Amino acid sequence: MTYQPPVRDFTFLLRDVLKIERYANLPAFADASIETVEAVLEEAGRICSEVLAPLNRVGDKEGCQWSPDFTVSTPTGFKAAYAQFVEGGWPGLGADPAFGGQGLPAVVNLAVSEMSSAANMAFAMYPGLTHGAYSAINNGGSPEQKQLYLPKLASGQWSGTMNLTEPHAGTDLGLLRTKAVPQGDGSYKISGQKIFISAGEHDLTENIVHLVLARIEGAPAGTKGISLFIVPKFLPDADGNPGARNAVKCLSLEEKMGIHGNATCVISHEEATGWLVGEENRGLPAMFVMMNEARIGVAVQGLAQAEAAYQEAAAYAKDRLQGRSLTGPKNPDGPADPIIVHPDVRRMLMEAKAIIEGGRALLLWTALHGDLAKGAADEPTRQKGEDYMALLTPVLKAFLTDRGFLIASDAMQVHGGAGFTEAVAASQHLRDSRIALIYEGANGVQALDLVGRKLAANGGRAVMTFFADIDAYVAAHDGDTVLKPFLEGLAQAKGELQEATMWLMQNGLANPDNAGAASTDYLHLFALTGLAFAWAQVAEAAQARIAAGETDPYYANKLITGRYYLTRVLPESGSRLAKLKAGAELMMTLPAEAF
Amino acid sequence: MTYQPPVRDFTFLLRDVLKIERYANLPAFADASIETVEAVLEEAGRICSEVLAPLNRVGDKEGCQWSPDFTVSTPTGFKAAYAQFVEGGWPGLGADPAFGGQGLPAVVNLAVSEMSSAANMAFAMYPGLTHGAYSAINNGGSPEQKQLYLPKLASGQWSGTMNLTEPHAGTDLGLLRTKAVPQGDGSYKISGQKIFISAGEHDLTENIVHLVLARIEGAPAGTKGISLFIVPKFLPDADGNPGARNAVKCLSLEEKMGIHGNATCVISHEEATGWLVGEENRGLPAMFVMMNEARIGVAVQGLAQAEAAYQEAAAYAKDRLQGRSLTGPKNPDGPADPIIVHPDVRRMLMEAKAIIEGGRALLLWTALHGDLAKGAADEPTRQKGEDYMALLTPVLKAFLTDRGFLIASDAMQVHGGAGFTEAVAASQHLRDSRIALIYEGANGVQALDLVGRKLAANGGRAVMTFFADIDAYVAAHDGDTVLKPFLEGLAQAKGELQEATMWLMQNGLANPDNAGAASTDYLHLFALTGLAFAWAQVAEAAQARIAAGETDPYYANKLITGRYYLTRVLPESGSRLAKLKAGAELMMTLPAEAF
């Protein structure tokens, strides 16, 4: 089947739930009227479903090919599709107009990312990483670096990568050994091997801009001695065009379970020429700008694969005839009923729908706060935006990828035996979605970031604001009969999350292992509460439409799906709380040799 | 790393927990002293770890090859390994000595199956399906059929298959069209196409015995017109040796996500010669003998893939150095600590351990009831054995495969980025384990079998006996301080399960969709309770050893792992109960076009 871009859902969220037209006074939103945004999303949806989606299976089957001359070719059709993508201006949608971008808000850019990632995740990673490189240089680069690189990255003429991981240094970047030797002319010679470099080499663009973490000779050990460098594949000449070939090359491609259409490279820097971005030994904070953005991007991938897999499963469930409804034939003239009549098939589809639609709402809500962090007129709104982005980034990354993978698995299950064959798309969605739990910080690292860093930051300001906002929302809608179940579910979940937060404060200080032991359950409890908050706002907006006389079942269906979330997904919150309160003791007692 | 056969765990369960020596008076157990069983398991463990395990990755990479002459070759090494497997007498371990088998109890055979399936699932499926064919003929075949086929199947000289599914008839076998035309000489001509036939064609044995569901000309429509046939690849000659080639052939192999080493065939019967097994139109009940046994076999696969994946993850976690413990360096002389110091890594390993060890205990406990169903001296014990096998087969099949897949996913997560590459085994375990949720009745079908058939059978006798046994166990150990948390957890879960059962009785009759909507959550609640019961018995046996002065930490570790189960896994029972009580309404309301 063809991927159906969920433009209607985006438009409803942006217009009715987030009411982005309120922000027309802010620069990023000045040209973002609902009509404009809808047109942009329609057009993006078209290229995603018509150009990128048909190449998804091709990319999976063919993969990328490495040649002994250290070049890599992408799957059939990727090059032409990329040219079309660039032609349409999609890489620069959210980039600064000063560098040739269209300057649209992140909340719109993120909707486009969901569609490209659902249509073809492996393809979408190429521009996705470029966007991260753009942000890192935009935040930390010199004016000259910005002038040289940002227009090429914004247009998609050049692409970007993140060169972080080394064989012995993954999560623990403090161990990295790639070294940088100053040349006295402002440049450095970079030497070392990097692994798992997505989009590290390919034939889509005339140049590739690697952002590389390395240690300047004599720098302190650990994370405080790491600097960030720009290492382009071709050194820009005086006119900014690709000149001499730099000594950075792809030694091989990883053979992976999924995302075969994206080249995952072993990259060797052999005295490659590079330039420092920002200050010496401040590479890690600079890289985190890129990383945090990438984390939201990975959350989007989790959601996108869930959506793509769900669409396939729903289509199959409406088409496949097998068995009869428990309440009597629904397709009496056919040999059997479509399997969507069976409650257990519905269970999988409804759960997917409830998490996807609630997750999308929370993701856009958070992205909007990101836009406000940068562009709001007043400091309190900017600060709150920043707080929420920091707090919710790990939550969204881990929850949406964990659940995205489970939804892809349920989508395979709906297909029965056919789902396990490569004749349908279910296997690819399951395999592609799996990487998102690992890269850009494994989900356990996200959970530690949440409990160890984000909760405590600024005396707990972000999480306390979050609780206060929920309390205020519940109080403001007191007495609303339609919203009642939503408010009750939200209040209950928020109570459990608050209890868990208190438990963490009391027990995490006494023994840090308690915080580590609780982290994943806490993160999921946080996300479940976040989705309950998002669903309440979605229900409010849908109900407003219905009250205004709107008869389109889209709105009534939102209320049903939201209530499904409350009764069939949210109850997990209680068991998450019970588990995390069990503490670290039993988890940590066994000696290593008992495993 | 090398697969480590969990012989110690099997021996502890058989000797201390299940006390199989109590049954030495029964035929199957007469030669099953603990010493004999331990020696058998040690020897089986050896061939599994030394012969089968090294071929696991080979099988995944090479897959099976189909040739235009309709033959299929298995991966390099499979043929020699199979010969060794046959040489050792492993295919006939549980078969009747009258047909050349060794007549060991199912509870021992199942332990061997776990090891072969953990070492090489794709390989183990060949003898696994043979065993199913053996049982179907043993139960329904004529004396002549038994004499002709059973010795060859028991020895592994011939192999077996199940030919059920057709393109339009998977779960709904009533739709199947393969037809059988009587030839007047006792034989039939079978025509039709079957798909997803595991081990359907290969080069391991001199003959392949297909057990085929087909409709005799003029038979009633639906499931009441289906008969079971034996269709051998080579027709046995007068001496019972493979003679003329039968008109049954493999048209192609499915391209699948996993189990590449097993040939999943499209099988065409083109007026193939077959012989009826049992009565006309009674094929489905006859096939269910095979199917039920296969379902327990699939439960074992779920457990086995979990164990294999867990072992890889545990080894990696002890070896990989990354970061420092939250409570201070544990490997101060190294560049970092092994990642097993991190609570969130431990969480994944402990959860795997708690489910694997508890699941293994429940599986063997159930298999022992299966042995008692056949061999016990008194009728009440036989009846209870049969009841428990029937009740717990769908529970074990769905729960252990669902959790087995999740454990394989967590095992990949422990590996970080390396886990997603095909350089380590994690991807294969994840991919291989996934099929087990689908075949031999998708897990949703298991859940329906449980709530729709098994609960109601004989006026609910099986489930009421189960509750009474738990109550009696809890009462009998009242006051035992070590067992106290186990008894409390068990009683609480059993209370929830009983509440859920009552809810089902009240609401499932009023609206069958309520039963369907509740079925998967009910099955998981059942399994969680079952594992709590199993863990209590394991804890009791471990504590008895400790009380007797045993200082081996194996026993104390059992208590810790069991308590981990109670505090970190079992709390899910409450949310399962809450979800299922939500009923069918919100699940069934949306019209199909809203998906």
PDB file of all heavy atoms in Angstrom, chain B residues 178-200:
ATOM      1  N   THR B 178      -7.539 -27.606  -0.485  1.00  0.00           N
ATOM      2  CA  THR B 178      -6.803 -28.764  -0.978  1.00  0.00           C
ATOM      3  C   THR B 178      -7.748 -29.963  -0.966  1.00  0.00           C
ATOM      4  O   THR B 178      -8.420 -30.216   0.034  1.00  0.00           O
ATOM      5  CB  THR B 178      -5.564 -29.021  -0.102  1.00  0.00           C
ATOM      6  OG1 THR B 178      -4.685 -27.922  -0.264  1.00  0.00           O
ATOM      7  CG2 THR B 178      -4.849 -30.307  -0.501  1.00  0.00           C
ATOM      8  N   LYS B 179      -7.782 -30.678  -2.107  1.00  0.00           N
ATOM      9  CA  LYS B 179      -8.799 -31.734  -2.173  1.00  0.00           C
ATOM     10  C   LYS B 179      -8.173 -33.116  -2.269  1.00  0.00           C
ATOM     11  O   LYS B 179      -7.037 -33.292  -2.705  1.00  0.00           O
ATOM     12  CB  LYS B 179      -9.779 -31.479  -3.310  1.00  0.00           C
ATOM     13  CG  LYS B 179      -9.198 -31.647  -4.662  1.00  0.00           C
ATOM     14  CD  LYS B 179     -10.283 -31.529  -5.730  1.00  0.00           C
ATOM     15  CE  LYS B 179      -9.578 -31.757  -7.080  1.00  0.00           C
ATOM     16  NZ  LYS B 179     -10.416 -31.518  -8.215  1.00  0.00           N
ATOM     17  N   ALA B 180      -8.958 -34.088  -1.833  1.00  0.00           N
ATOM     18  CA  ALA B 180      -8.508 -35.479  -1.808  1.00  0.00           C
ATOM     19  C   ALA B 180      -9.552 -36.324  -2.529  1.00  0.00           C
ATOM     20  O   ALA B 180     -10.742 -36.260  -2.206  1.00  0.00           O
ATOM     21  CB  ALA B 180      -8.356 -35.952  -0.369  1.00  0.00           C
ATOM     22  N   VAL B 181      -9.085 -37.093  -3.511  1.00  0.00           N
ATOM     23  CA  VAL B 181     -10.013 -37.928  -4.283  1.00  0.00           C
ATOM     24  C   VAL B 181      -9.673 -39.399  -4.023  1.00  0.00           C
ATOM     25  O   VAL B 181      -8.558 -39.834  -4.289  1.00  0.00           O
ATOM     26  CB  VAL B 181      -9.900 -37.613  -5.791  1.00  0.00           C
ATOM     27  CG1 VAL B 181     -10.875 -38.467  -6.589  1.00  0.00           C
ATOM     28  CG2 VAL B 181     -10.127 -36.128  -6.045  1.00  0.00           C
ATOM     29  N   PRO B 182     -10.651 -40.168  -3.478  1.00  0.00           N
ATOM     30  CA  PRO B 182     -10.372 -41.576  -3.173  1.00  0.00           C
ATOM     31  C   PRO B 182     -10.117 -42.377  -4.449  1.00  0.00           C
ATOM     32  O   PRO B 182     -10.774 -42.163  -5.474  1.00  0.00           O
ATOM     33  CB  PRO B 182     -11.648 -42.050  -2.469  1.00  0.00           C
ATOM     34  CG  PRO B 182     -12.694 -41.034  -2.760  1.00  0.00           C
ATOM     35  CD  PRO B 182     -12.029 -39.763  -3.145  1.00  0.00           C
ATOM     36  N   GLN B 183      -9.156 -43.285  -4.385  1.00  0.00           N
ATOM     37  CA  GLN B 183      -8.756 -44.053  -5.562  1.00  0.00           C
ATOM     38  C   GLN B 183      -9.313 -45.474  -5.530  1.00  0.00           C
ATOM     39  O   GLN B 183      -9.015 -46.280  -6.414  1.00  0.00           O
ATOM     40  CB  GLN B 183      -7.228 -44.105  -5.649  1.00  0.00           C
ATOM     41  CG  GLN B 183      -6.591 -42.737  -5.760  1.00  0.00           C
ATOM     42  CD  GLN B 183      -7.051 -42.010  -7.021  1.00  0.00           C
ATOM     43  OE1 GLN B 183      -6.828 -42.475  -8.133  1.00  0.00           O
ATOM     44  NE2 GLN B 183      -7.734 -40.877  -6.847  1.00  0.00           N
ATOM     45  N   GLY B 184     -10.078 -45.777  -4.495  1.00  0.00           N
ATOM     46  CA  GLY B 184     -10.681 -47.101  -4.430  1.00  0.00           C
ATOM     47  C   GLY B 184      -9.755 -48.168  -3.877  1.00  0.00           C
ATOM     48  O   GLY B 184     -10.180 -49.270  -3.554  1.00  0.00           O
ATOM     49  N   ASP B 185      -8.462 -47.830  -3.742  1.00  0.00           N
ATOM     50  CA  ASP B 185      -7.513 -48.815  -3.212  1.00  0.00           C
ATOM     51  C   ASP B 185      -7.045 -48.428  -1.825  1.00  0.00           C
ATOM     52  O   ASP B 185      -6.013 -48.899  -1.345  1.00  0.00           O
ATOM     53  CB  ASP B 185      -6.292 -48.914  -4.145  1.00  0.00           C
ATOM     54  CG  ASP B 185      -5.552 -47.583  -4.242  1.00  0.00           C
ATOM     55  OD1 ASP B 185      -6.068 -46.545  -3.707  1.00  0.00           O
ATOM     56  OD2 ASP B 185      -4.458 -47.550  -4.832  1.00  0.00           O
ATOM     57  N   GLY B 186      -7.797 -47.534  -1.211  1.00  0.00           N
ATOM     58  CA  GLY B 186      -7.398 -47.074   0.121  1.00  0.00           C
ATOM     59  C   GLY B 186      -6.547 -45.816   0.062  1.00  0.00           C
ATOM     60  O   GLY B 186      -6.360 -45.147   1.063  1.00  0.00           O
ATOM     61  N   SER B 187      -6.068 -45.482  -1.126  1.00  0.00           N
ATOM     62  CA  SER B 187      -5.269 -44.258  -1.230  1.00  0.00           C
ATOM     63  C   SER B 187      -6.128 -43.128  -1.794  1.00  0.00           C
ATOM     64  O   SER B 187      -7.260 -43.344  -2.242  1.00  0.00           O
ATOM     65  CB  SER B 187      -4.037 -44.480  -2.115  1.00  0.00           C
ATOM     66  OG  SER B 187      -4.439 -44.526  -3.476  1.00  0.00           O
ATOM     67  N   TYR B 188      -5.564 -41.915  -1.760  1.00  0.00           N
ATOM     68  CA  TYR B 188      -6.241 -40.726  -2.266  1.00  0.00           C
ATOM     69  C   TYR B 188      -5.267 -39.967  -3.156  1.00  0.00           C
ATOM     70  O   TYR B 188      -4.048 -40.083  -2.995  1.00  0.00           O
ATOM     71  CB  TYR B 188      -6.662 -39.809  -1.105  1.00  0.00           C
ATOM     72  CG  TYR B 188      -7.767 -40.366  -0.235  1.00  0.00           C
ATOM     73  CD1 TYR B 188      -7.507 -41.379   0.698  1.00  0.00           C
ATOM     74  CD2 TYR B 188      -9.065 -39.876  -0.347  1.00  0.00           C
ATOM     75  CE1 TYR B 188      -8.524 -41.882   1.500  1.00  0.00           C
ATOM     76  CE2 TYR B 188     -10.091 -40.391   0.471  1.00  0.00           C
ATOM     77  CZ  TYR B 188      -9.811 -41.385   1.388  1.00  0.00           C
ATOM     78  OH  TYR B 188     -10.820 -41.878   2.182  1.00  0.00           O
ATOM     79  N   LYS B 189      -5.829 -39.191  -4.080  1.00  0.00           N
ATOM     80  CA  LYS B 189      -5.005 -38.239  -4.826  1.00  0.00           C
ATOM     81  C   LYS B 189      -5.229 -36.856  -4.210  1.00  0.00           C
ATOM     82  O   LYS B 189      -6.371 -36.365  -4.166  1.00  0.00           O
ATOM     83  CB  LYS B 189      -5.404 -38.209  -6.315  1.00  0.00           C
ATOM     84  CG  LYS B 189      -5.052 -39.480  -7.081  1.00  0.00           C
ATOM     85  CD  LYS B 189      -3.556 -39.592  -7.329  1.00  0.00           C
ATOM     86  CE  LYS B 189      -3.231 -40.832  -8.159  1.00  0.00           C
ATOM     87  NZ  LYS B 189      -1.871 -41.340  -7.818  1.00  0.00           N
ATOM     88  N   ILE B 190      -4.144 -36.258  -3.767  1.00  0.00           N
ATOM     89  CA  ILE B 190      -4.227 -34.978  -3.063  1.00  0.00           C
ATOM     90  C   ILE B 190      -3.758 -33.871  -4.007  1.00  0.00           C
ATOM     91  O   ILE B 190      -2.684 -33.984  -4.597  1.00  0.00           O
ATOM     92  CB  ILE B 190      -3.303 -34.965  -1.831  1.00  0.00           C
ATOM     93  CG1 ILE B 190      -3.456 -36.247  -0.993  1.00  0.00           C
ATOM     94  CG2 ILE B 190      -3.500 -33.706  -0.991  1.00  0.00           C
ATOM     95  CD1 ILE B 190      -4.690 -36.337  -0.175  1.00  0.00           C
ATOM     96  N   SER B 191      -4.565 -32.798  -4.119  1.00  0.00           N
ATOM     97  CA  SER B 191      -4.190 -31.677  -4.988  1.00  0.00           C
ATOM     98  C   SER B 191      -4.445 -30.351  -4.289  1.00  0.00           C
ATOM     99  O   SER B 191      -5.542 -30.134  -3.757  1.00  0.00           O
ATOM    100  CB  SER B 191      -4.998 -31.712  -6.291  1.00  0.00           C
ATOM    101  OG  SER B 191      -4.784 -32.921  -6.975  1.00  0.00           O
ATOM    102  N   GLY B 192      -3.449 -29.501  -4.332  1.00  0.00           N
ATOM    103  CA  GLY B 192      -3.621 -28.174  -3.749  1.00  0.00           C
ATOM    104  C   GLY B 192      -2.284 -27.572  -3.358  1.00  0.00           C
ATOM    105  O   GLY B 192      -1.253 -28.250  -3.400  1.00  0.00           O
ATOM    106  N   GLN B 193      -2.331 -26.304  -3.021  1.00  0.00           N
ATOM    107  CA  GLN B 193      -1.090 -25.625  -2.663  1.00  0.00           C
ATOM    108  C   GLN B 193      -1.079 -25.247  -1.186  1.00  0.00           C
ATOM    109  O   GLN B 193      -2.046 -24.696  -0.669  1.00  0.00           O
ATOM    110  CB  GLN B 193      -0.915 -24.376  -3.509  1.00  0.00           C
ATOM    111  CG  GLN B 193       0.525 -23.902  -3.494  1.00  0.00           C
ATOM    112  CD  GLN B 193       0.736 -22.665  -4.364  1.00  0.00           C
ATOM    113  OE1 GLN B 193       0.720 -21.545  -3.885  1.00  0.00           O
ATOM    114  NE2 GLN B 193       0.904 -22.891  -5.645  1.00  0.00           N
ATOM    115  N   LYS B 194       0.026 -25.532  -0.523  1.00  0.00           N
ATOM    116  CA  LYS B 194       0.197 -25.192   0.888  1.00  0.00           C
ATOM    117  C   LYS B 194       1.350 -24.195   1.006  1.00  0.00           C
ATOM    118  O   LYS B 194       2.332 -24.276   0.258  1.00  0.00           O
ATOM    119  CB  LYS B 194       0.537 -26.465   1.676  1.00  0.00           C
ATOM    120  CG  LYS B 194      -0.575 -27.521   1.648  1.00  0.00           C
ATOM    121  CD  LYS B 194      -1.740 -27.111   2.529  1.00  0.00           C
ATOM    122  CE  LYS B 194      -2.821 -28.181   2.602  1.00  0.00           C
ATOM    123  NZ  LYS B 194      -3.921 -27.793   3.521  1.00  0.00           N
ATOM    124  N   ILE B 195       1.244 -23.281   1.959  1.00  0.00           N
ATOM    125  CA  ILE B 195       2.338 -22.314   2.153  1.00  0.00           C
ATOM    126  C   ILE B 195       2.828 -22.334   3.608  1.00  0.00           C
ATOM    127  O   ILE B 195       2.157 -22.886   4.477  1.00  0.00           O
ATOM    128  CB  ILE B 195       1.912 -20.874   1.773  1.00  0.00           C
ATOM    129  CG1 ILE B 195       0.723 -20.403   2.636  1.00  0.00           C
ATOM    130  CG2 ILE B 195       1.553 -20.796   0.292  1.00  0.00           C
ATOM    131  CD1 ILE B 195       0.456 -18.913   2.513  1.00  0.00           C
ATOM    132  N   PHE B 196       3.988 -21.702   3.795  1.00  0.00           N
ATOM    133  CA  PHE B 196       4.609 -21.611   5.128  1.00  0.00           C
ATOM    134  C   PHE B 196       4.890 -22.996   5.714  1.00  0.00           C
ATOM    135  O   PHE B 196       4.691 -23.219   6.916  1.00  0.00           O
ATOM    136  CB  PHE B 196       3.742 -20.806   6.108  1.00  0.00           C
ATOM    137  CG  PHE B 196       3.420 -19.399   5.671  1.00  0.00           C
ATOM    138  CD1 PHE B 196       2.267 -18.758   6.114  1.00  0.00           C
ATOM    139  CD2 PHE B 196       4.277 -18.699   4.823  1.00  0.00           C
ATOM    140  CE1 PHE B 196       1.973 -17.452   5.736  1.00  0.00           C
ATOM    141  CE2 PHE B 196       3.977 -17.385   4.426  1.00  0.00           C
ATOM    142  CZ  PHE B 196       2.825 -16.771   4.886  1.00  0.00           C
ATOM    143  N   ILE B 197       5.331 -23.927   4.895  1.00  0.00           N
ATOM    144  CA  ILE B 197       5.599 -25.277   5.388  1.00  0.00           C
ATOM    145  C   ILE B 197       7.058 -25.381   5.851  1.00  0.00           C
ATOM    146  O   ILE B 197       7.974 -25.478   5.040  1.00  0.00           O
ATOM    147  CB  ILE B 197       5.285 -26.336   4.300  1.00  0.00           C
ATOM    148  CG1 ILE B 197       3.880 -26.115   3.739  1.00  0.00           C
ATOM    149  CG2 ILE B 197       5.444 -27.745   4.894  1.00  0.00           C
ATOM    150  CD1 ILE B 197       2.774 -26.007   4.778  1.00  0.00           C
ATOM    151  N   SER B 198       7.234 -25.333   7.170  1.00  0.00           N
ATOM    152  CA  SER B 198       8.578 -25.412   7.747  1.00  0.00           C
ATOM    153  C   SER B 198       9.160 -26.799   7.498  1.00  0.00           C
ATOM    154  O   SER B 198       8.446 -27.796   7.634  1.00  0.00           O
ATOM    155  CB  SER B 198       8.518 -25.160   9.253  1.00  0.00           C
ATOM    156  OG  SER B 198       8.042 -23.864   9.517  1.00  0.00           O
ATOM    157  N   ALA B 199      10.432 -26.836   7.149  1.00  0.00           N
ATOM    158  CA  ALA B 199      11.138 -28.108   6.897  1.00  0.00           C
ATOM    159  C   ALA B 199      10.457 -28.892   5.788  1.00  0.00           C
ATOM    160  O   ALA B 199      10.560 -30.117   5.728  1.00  0.00           O
ATOM    161  CB  ALA B 199      11.231 -28.948   8.178  1.00  0.00           C
ATOM    162  N   GLY B 200       9.780 -28.160   4.889  1.00  0.00           N
ATOM    163  CA  GLY B 200       8.961 -28.796   3.854  1.00  0.00           C
ATOM    164  C   GLY B 200       9.774 -29.552   2.816  1.00  0.00           C
ATOM    165  O   GLY B 200       9.270 -30.494   2.191  1.00  0.00           O
TER     166      GLY B 200
END
